[in-house]
Amino acid sequence: MSNQELPTRIKPNEYEKKIYNEWLEKNIFHADENSSKPPYSIVIPPPNVTGSLHMGHALNNTLQDILIRFYKLNGYETLWMPGTDHAGIATQNVVEKQLAEKNISRHEIGREKFIEKVWQWREESGGEIINQLKRLGASCDWERERFTMDEGLSRAVKKVFVTLYNKGLIYRSNYIINWCPRCHTALSDLEVEHEEKNGTLYYINYDVKETGEKLLIATTRPETMLGDSGVAVNPDDKRYNHLIGKTAILPIIGRELPIVGDEYVDMEFGTGALKITPAHDPNDFDIGRKHGLKEINMMDDSGYVNENGGRFQGMGRFEARKAIIAELEKQNRLVKKEKHIHSIGHCYRCKTVVEPRISMQWFVKIKPLAEKAIEVVKNNEIKIVPENWEKTYYEWMYNIRDWCISRQIWWGHRIPAFYCEKCGHINVAMEDPSQCEKCSSTELSQETDVLDTWFSSALWPFSTMGWPEKTKTLKKFYPTSCLVTGFDILFFWVARMIMMGTKFMNDVPFREVYIHALVRDEDGQKMSKSKGNVIDPLTVIDEYGADAFRFTLAALAAQGRDIKLSKERVEGYRNFVNKIWNASRFILMNMPTDYNIGEPDFSKLEAEDKWIFHQLKITADSVSSNIKSYDFNEAAGEIYKFFWHTFCDWYLELIKDRIFDENKKESALKAAFFVLKNSLIILHPFMPFVTEYIYKMTDNDANLLYMEFPSLDFSFGNENSEIETVISIVSSVRNIRGEYNIPPKSMIKAYIKTDDKKIINAVKNNEKNIKKLSRLEKLEFTDKEIEKSATNVSTGFIIYVPIEGIVDIAEEIARLQKDRKSALKDYELYGKKLKNENYLKKAPTEVIRKDTEKFEKSREILSKIDESIERLEELC
């Protein structure tokens, strides 16, 4: 494309796909494990194979891409390892729903056929999110794309399971677990989402057999009394300690319950007497095992009362609750009911209320693994950013419970355990056994459960690189450099990767963990379909382009602060994309047709050239420093400020006369093109498409990722100060124009009062530019005040602009008085609302925040208007 053909406007959808395909064709993202360059690697948090790009993905992957591109520009051999997670429950649910549409259940077609259907779905529809990540610009090494059910990863999973089992760190036990009656599977503690709900505390009278006393017990789940096997009181509770060792009679059922003493019982909660249901409450389970109480399971795996529930058998758990309450009222056993707010656990997939339930499951004995994982963070072998998340990490790790890793579904890594039908021995080995290792029987049956999805993803940093083989990729790129993730999977995934990495690789899986915040809507509300406030990333990319979207996310990604996103924000940064194009077009349109202009002569630079080079160096250094410290918003802000304001608003305006002067044109364009090229490189990690598009105009075979991030060694000083003075003077005049409503086209006079020789020299050296940029017909020095002038006091000088005959003072005061009335109306309206105590009690926090902002804004406007009126009245 010649510079005569450059379009006035650019459309991202016309070049983004083409540029990305070229990157793929040229294999630009490929990581060379044989390279001598220092490594920088990231493993992608593998999105679910069922997933589609949402705002969390968009932010997470934009930040990763910024890091990978930045370090590649800085001379590192970069690897961004991509892939997807098989997402056990979620994927199984998708395929089950497809079968249900044909009135078929998975049980009808059997396990093998069902697994075939899942693989078929995965090949046809799964992994669509990978294509969506490409639209975002993700610079992953797609040749290395992995899937958590790949053959290699499956082998790694089996190796870890067998090793941990042989070391006694994996065991099988009847234990209390979280059970989803809808998905029919166990859930780990982390897969349960807790929500505060309004509930009821029911006070029920139990009889004491030996004394005939009434023992009042409070519970939120009266249906579980069908599984009661004891009552506990605190031994220090004088109200009840005389009952320890005696027997309570379970209402309705009539079962005898031992009364035990246990320090766990909170004397302040309820009545201080606790019914113990070991099979349906994790705390009761611990107390029950401590005191040898029976474990009575009163519910089946679908949440219905079983044979242990007597006449309530067959009822759903919530139906049973109502029936039991009615029976207790009938027997005068229900003393009272109280409103009670408590935390209810829900399945993270289907949102069904979770049921604690005793079940035979597989567990990882986690504390031995957690000890090392705590140590490596304490020793700064892993740095967590922001640092405040370390405290949360420690709290969870110190209080960690054994990890239930078995799931009662079909899709996933099947547990490599084989039961001997003859002697009952469990055979666990890398290869499927043909006979029992204990008794040599060939009657073996494999465990039907699969492993928790997080078990395989905990191995992701090393399994994706070929472990358990000792590959070149592992040697070059493990440990990885950084993990970028949301706080919601700090324990689901991050902590487990640390535990597995330190156990099996004898090294941490990553050196740093950057934890980003949530993307919320413009009012700070969490995005959800029910609220109707979800913003679709793909729609935003279609409308504004990937660059504007990416830059918006980066510019708002302040550490520890949630992002408030709106389309207006993205539109604002789309304007920045247009600004970059317009500035580039202006420079390129004035260059030779082959764009071959060469480097500037650094020994023959004008003051403004030295100034812009100095500012470029400061910006490059600042952006570099901020990216390295994960201050993405600061980095984005620095390059935005430099390019839009310093480069476009000031430098290009300062050199326009030179560009249009044939004798000075070449030096001006060389300097401007030098700054443009380096700016595009600095911008590239944030805006890869438009920067590549522009750069290719000058060299079609070039690719920005093969360039070097600017490391400039300029030592300009005086010229920097001189141009800053010019900018300060021009800004002072422009402020006066704005304050007094002087039209931009009006030519005015200005006087400068100063005794600073540097300022005087700066004005003399740059008088032409000052007059042009300030729209001045006259610029003179003065040693006295200029009457009937607007003034602006700045560091080292005062500017006087005579306004007599230019501004109709009376008319301007009248205009300001009119504006004042409008501002005063808002000021009084919002001020009155914010003084209304009733309003403050009832109005939502977000509404009050907005009203406060409007009040403060109206007060600020009033203040400025009053100042302007006062100044004008002084000139009358």
Side-chain angles (χ1 to χ4, degrees):
M1 186 183 290
S2 76
N3 53 10
Q4 302 305 314
E5 298 172 350
L6 299 183
T8 54
R9 293 183 67 83
I10 54 171
K11 298 175 181 177
N13 58 10
E14 292 178 356
Y15 60 80
E16 287 185 351
K17 186 175 181 180
K18 181 182 177 184
I19 285 173
Y20 198 87
N21 285 338
E22 183 183 325
W23 287 335
L24 295 180
E25 287 164 13
K26 289 187 174 181
N27 217 12
I28 283 175
F29 306 146
H30 176 66
D32 182 3
E33 58 204 12
N34 297 309
S35 167
S36 60
K37 295 178 182 178
Y40 184 88
S41 57
I42 295 176
V43 290
I44 200 169
N48 287 353
V49 71
T50 59
S52 60
L53 194 70
H54 59 61
M55 277 299 166
H57 291 131
L59 172 64
N60 180 267
N61 288 283
T62 292
L63 300 183
Q64 289 176 83
D65 194 52
I66 289 170
L67 289 168
I68 288 291
R69 290 177 185 270
F70 170 77
Y71 279 99
K72 192 172 183 71
L73 290 168
N74 275 278
Y76 287 78
E77 189 63 37
T78 56
L79 167 61
W80 187 7
M81 180 71 75
T84 50
D85 191 277
H86 66 278
I89 296 174
T91 305
Q92 178 154 317
N93 282 347
V94 167
V95 179
E96 281 196 81
K97 284 177 184 175
Q98 290 180 343
L99 291 174
E101 289 172 5
K102 300 174 184 177
N103 294 317
I104 302 171
S105 76
R106 65 180 164 107
H107 298 284
E108 287 176 58
I109 62 173
R111 184 172 192 136
E112 284 189 25
K113 287 285 185 186
F114 179 76
I115 297 300
E116 282 179 23
K117 292 281 185 187
V118 181
W119 277 110
Q120 184 183 341
W121 173 85
R122 194 256 170 178
E123 294 303 318
E124 294 172 359
S125 310
E128 177 59 29
I129 192 169
I130 294 296
N131 295 323
Q132 295 169 343
L133 287 172
K134 290 176 180 178
R135 289 202 61 196
L136 190 65
S139 55
C140 298
D141 186 348
W142 296 112
E143 289 182 337
R144 298 177 187 268
E145 184 184 339
R146 304 306 299 269
F147 179 52
T148 49
M149 292 281 284
D150 282 352
E151 187 178 337
L153 271 71
S154 294
R155 184 163 181 79
V157 167
K158 191 177 281 190
K159 173 78 172 176
V160 167
F161 185 94
V162 171
T163 304
L164 291 177
Y165 181 81
N166 289 336
K167 289 181 179 292
L169 293 174
I170 284 182
Y171 64 93
R172 187 169 181 257
S173 173
N174 243 327
Y175 203 80
I176 189 89
I177 47 93
N178 305 295
W179 181 265
C180 176
R182 156 65 182 78
C183 298
H184 283 189
T185 185
L187 301 171
S188 72
D189 290 345
L190 294 174
E191 290 169 319
V192 177
E193 295 177 347
H194 290 274
E195 191 178 340
E196 294 290 321
K197 293 274 191 180
N198 290 321
T200 304
L201 200 56
Y202 300 90
Y203 288 80
I204 305 164
N205 263 333
Y206 286 46
D207 290 333
V208 179
K209 178 181 176 182
E210 291 83 354
T211 66
E213 294 174 61
K214 301 289 185 188
L215 182 58
L216 191 61
I217 291 175
T219 180
T220 57
R221 304 178 68 214
E223 69 278 12
T224 63
M225 66 189 291
L226 300 175
D228 282 3
S229 61
V231 171
V233 297
N234 195 303
D236 295 328
D237 194 332
K238 293 178 181 177
R239 296 172 296 174
Y240 306 122
N241 55 13
H242 68 285
L243 296 176
I244 295 172
K246 294 183 170 54
T247 308
I249 304 299
L250 178 63
I252 303 175
I253 303 296
R255 185 184 302 138
E256 293 191 354
L257 311 175
I259 300 174
V260 299
D262 198 286
E263 292 80 5
Y264 170 80
V265 180
D266 182 356
M267 293 186 284
E268 303 301 320
F269 179 76
T271 64
L274 187 68
K275 74 182 202 66
I276 305 298
T277 318
H280 294 281
D281 183 278
N283 297 313
D284 290 7
F285 175 81
D286 290 338
I287 294 172
R289 289 226 161 163
K290 184 177 173 183
H291 297 278
L293 301 178
K294 288 181 182 178
E295 294 168 353
I296 303 169
N297 190 344
M298 47 70 62
M299 207 177 296
D300 67 16
D301 60 8
S302 295
Y304 288 85
V305 177
N306 62 20
E307 66 280 1
N308 291 323
R311 56 196 168 96
F312 301 100
Q313 183 176 356
M315 292 184 182
R317 51 189 168 154
F318 301 119
E319 180 190 358
R321 179 181 296 180
K322 292 177 183 176
I324 287 169
I325 290 167
E327 185 62 29
L328 288 169
E329 286 176 332
K330 185 178 176 182
Q331 295 183 13
N332 293 319
R333 292 280 176 184
L334 186 65
V335 176
K336 63 175 178 175
K337 294 187 285 188
E338 283 182 353
K339 288 183 179 178
H340 176 65
I341 298 173
H342 59 151
S343 181
I344 303 292
H346 295 78
C347 172
Y348 78 119
R349 280 293 166 205
C350 69
K351 310 308 176 189
T352 300
V353 174
V354 165
E355 187 63 43
R357 186 168 181 260
I358 283 183
S359 176
M360 183 62 77
Q361 301 289 340
W362 289 87
F363 294 86
V364 173
K365 197 178 289 182
I366 208 76
K367 286 201 174 180
L369 300 175
E371 287 168 4
K372 183 64 177 175
I374 292 168
E375 183 185 318
V376 293
V377 175
K378 278 194 167 183
N379 294 343
N380 286 323
E381 293 175 58
I382 294 177
K383 179 184 177 185
I384 298 178
V385 182
E387 195 177 338
N388 60 286
W389 283 107
E390 283 189 12
K391 183 182 177 184
T392 310
Y393 174 83
Y394 291 136
E395 284 175 358
W396 188 76
M397 294 296 278
Y398 280 123
N399 295 293
I400 199 166
R401 295 176 64 173
D402 283 359
W403 173 16
C404 177
I405 55 170
S406 45
R407 298 291 179 271
Q408 289 68 50
I409 57 175
W410 289 351
W411 173 244
H413 294 281
R414 195 164 173 182
I415 290 175
F418 292 77
Y419 303 105
C420 178
E421 302 293 337
K422 187 176 181 182
C423 72
H425 179 69
I426 301 175
N427 297 264
V428 173
M430 283 296 293
E431 305 302 329
D432 293 356
S434 58
Q435 61 181 36
C436 177
E437 62 186 358
K438 189 174 181 182
C439 72
S440 300
S441 170
T442 57
E443 295 180 43
L444 301 176
S445 60
Q446 187 176 357
E447 169 65 76
T448 56
D449 289 357
V450 300
L451 288 164
D452 176 11
T453 302
W454 296 103
F455 190 92
S456 51
S457 54
L459 319 182
W460 188 249
F462 54 91
S463 64
T464 51
M465 296 188 193
W467 187 90
E469 303 301 321
K470 294 181 179 179
T471 64
K472 286 184 178 180
T473 306
L474 269 173
K475 187 176 179 182
K476 179 73 176 178
F477 295 108
Y478 189 93
T480 61
S481 308
C482 172
L483 179 77
V484 179
T485 185
F487 63 84
D488 52 334
I489 54 174
L490 180 59
F491 312 121
F492 268 120
W493 191 46
V494 180
R496 288 167 175 171
M497 281 191 290
I498 296 173
M499 288 188 268
M500 293 301 188
T502 53
K503 176 68 178 175
F504 288 94
M505 295 298 294
N506 294 316
D507 204 346
V508 296
F510 24 74
R511 299 296 184 198
E512 296 181 329
V513 179
Y514 173 66
I515 298 173
H516 59 73
L518 290 175
V519 184
R520 298 180 178 272
D521 71 9
E522 60 186 311
D523 296 323
Q525 299 294 311
K526 189 173 180 179
M527 291 186 190
S528 69
K529 290 179 182 177
S530 60
K531 291 179 183 176
N533 64 345
V534 172
I535 302 174
D536 180 1
L538 297 170
T539 302
V540 176
I541 291 172
D542 285 339
E543 191 170 351
Y544 301 105
D547 289 320
F549 179 47
R550 287 168 57 113
F551 199 87
T552 305
L553 293 171
L556 299 176
Q559 285 188 20
R561 198 162 67 229
D562 286 345
I563 290 175
K564 294 181 182 179
L565 185 70
S566 66
K567 285 192 175 181
E568 287 73 24
R569 295 262 198 179
V570 186
E571 187 175 358
Y573 287 113
R574 196 233 346 238
N575 295 338
F576 182 39
V577 175
N578 292 335
K579 187 78 171 179
I580 294 167
W581 169 244
N582 290 334
S584 302
R585 184 174 182 275
F586 170 72
I587 294 167
L588 298 177
M589 289 280 286
N590 285 286
M591 286 176 67
T593 53
D594 61 358
Y595 300 112
N596 186 12
I597 197 167
E599 293 285 300
D601 185 341
F602 290 96
S603 64
K604 297 179 181 178
L605 297 175
E606 298 292 336
E608 60 266 25
D609 300 334
K610 293 178 181 179
W611 170 75
I612 196 66
F613 289 165
H614 182 76
Q615 297 301 317
L616 177 65
K617 171 184 167 51
I618 291 171
T619 303
D621 291 347
S622 178
V623 170
S624 180
S625 172
N626 280 307
I627 290 178
K628 288 175 181 176
S629 63
Y630 306 103
D631 291 305
F632 296 99
N633 62 315
E634 297 290 342
E638 288 292 329
I639 187 59
Y640 176 91
K641 183 175 66 177
F642 170 80
F643 196 93
W644 191 307
H645 300 296
T646 307
F647 183 54
C648 296
D649 290 354
W650 291 110
Y651 179 70
L652 292 184
E653 293 300 320
L654 285 167
I655 66 167
K656 271 186 180 175
D657 285 347
R658 287 167 60 198
I659 286 177
F660 298 132
D661 183 333
E662 285 302 320
N663 295 320
K664 298 179 179 179
K665 181 174 185 174
E666 186 177 338
S667 69
L669 284 172
K670 281 183 176 180
F673 188 53
F674 178 84
V675 176
L676 175 63
K677 283 195 300 182
N678 281 281
S679 296
L680 292 175
I681 296 171
I682 297 170
L683 276 162
H684 182 75
F686 301 93
M687 296 180 161
F689 292 106
V690 71
T691 52
E692 188 88 326
Y693 175 73
I694 295 168
Y695 207 89
K696 280 189 172 298
M697 301 240 168
T698 63
D699 184 352
N700 194 50
D701 294 325
N703 291 105
L704 273 174
L705 275 179
Y706 291 140
M707 304 300 163
E708 291 183 12
F709 195 87
S711 179
L712 307 169
D713 187 21
F714 301 130
S715 55
F716 305 124
N718 293 336
E719 295 80 3
N720 188 54
S721 174
E722 182 174 303
I723 300 302
E724 292 295 337
T725 298
V726 171
I727 290 171
S728 185
I729 291 169
V730 173
S731 297
S732 294
V733 176
R734 287 178 176 175
N735 286 341
I736 290 171
R737 280 183 175 276
E739 286 175 16
Y740 292 93
N741 209 26
I742 300 172
K745 292 182 179 180
S746 297
M747 298 297 288
I748 57 177
K749 299 174 184 178
Y751 298 86
I752 301 174
K753 183 180 179 183
T754 183
D755 55 7
D756 188 318
K757 290 182 179 179
K758 287 183 180 179
I759 293 175
I760 293 168
N761 288 333
V763 173
K764 289 178 178 178
N765 293 338
N766 298 276
E767 182 179 355
K768 186 178 178 182
N769 264 329
I770 293 173
K771 289 173 73 174
K772 180 187 74 170
L773 296 175
S774 305
R775 300 286 294 164
L776 297 176
E777 60 182 359
K778 181 179 181 180
L779 175 64
E780 291 183 0
F781 289 101
T782 182
D783 56 3
K784 59 183 180 181
E785 286 189 17
I786 306 297
E787 292 185 0
K788 294 197 174 181
S789 291
T791 62
N792 195 305
V793 180
S794 193
T795 304
F797 66 88
I798 302 174
I799 291 285
Y800 296 95
V801 174
I803 61 172
E804 192 172 27
I806 297 172
V807 176
D808 185 326
I809 295 176
E811 186 179 301
E812 185 62 15
I813 289 174
R815 183 186 70 81
L816 288 169
Q817 291 286 12
K818 187 177 179 182
D819 289 346
R820 191 181 190 282
K821 282 183 181 178
S822 176
L824 183 62
K825 188 177 178 182
D826 283 346
Y827 176 76
E828 290 175 342
L829 171 67
Y830 294 111
K832 186 178 179 181
K833 286 176 79 174
L834 293 170
K835 286 179 182 176
N836 185 329
E837 289 186 13
N838 194 39
Y839 166 76
L840 294 174
K841 284 179 183 177
K842 293 181 179 179
T845 306
E846 192 58 31
V847 172
I848 294 171
R849 182 187 66 77
K850 284 187 174 182
D851 285 349
T852 304
E853 286 177 0
K854 290 173 183 175
F855 175 73
E856 293 298 336
K857 186 177 180 181
S858 62
R859 178 161 62 185
E860 186 182 335
I861 292 170
L862 271 177
S863 177
K864 287 182 178 178
I865 290 173
D866 288 340
E867 287 175 11
S868 297
I869 291 172
E870 188 178 339
R871 281 197 297 270
L872 285 166
E873 287 175 341
E874 287 174 358
L875 295 172
C876 290

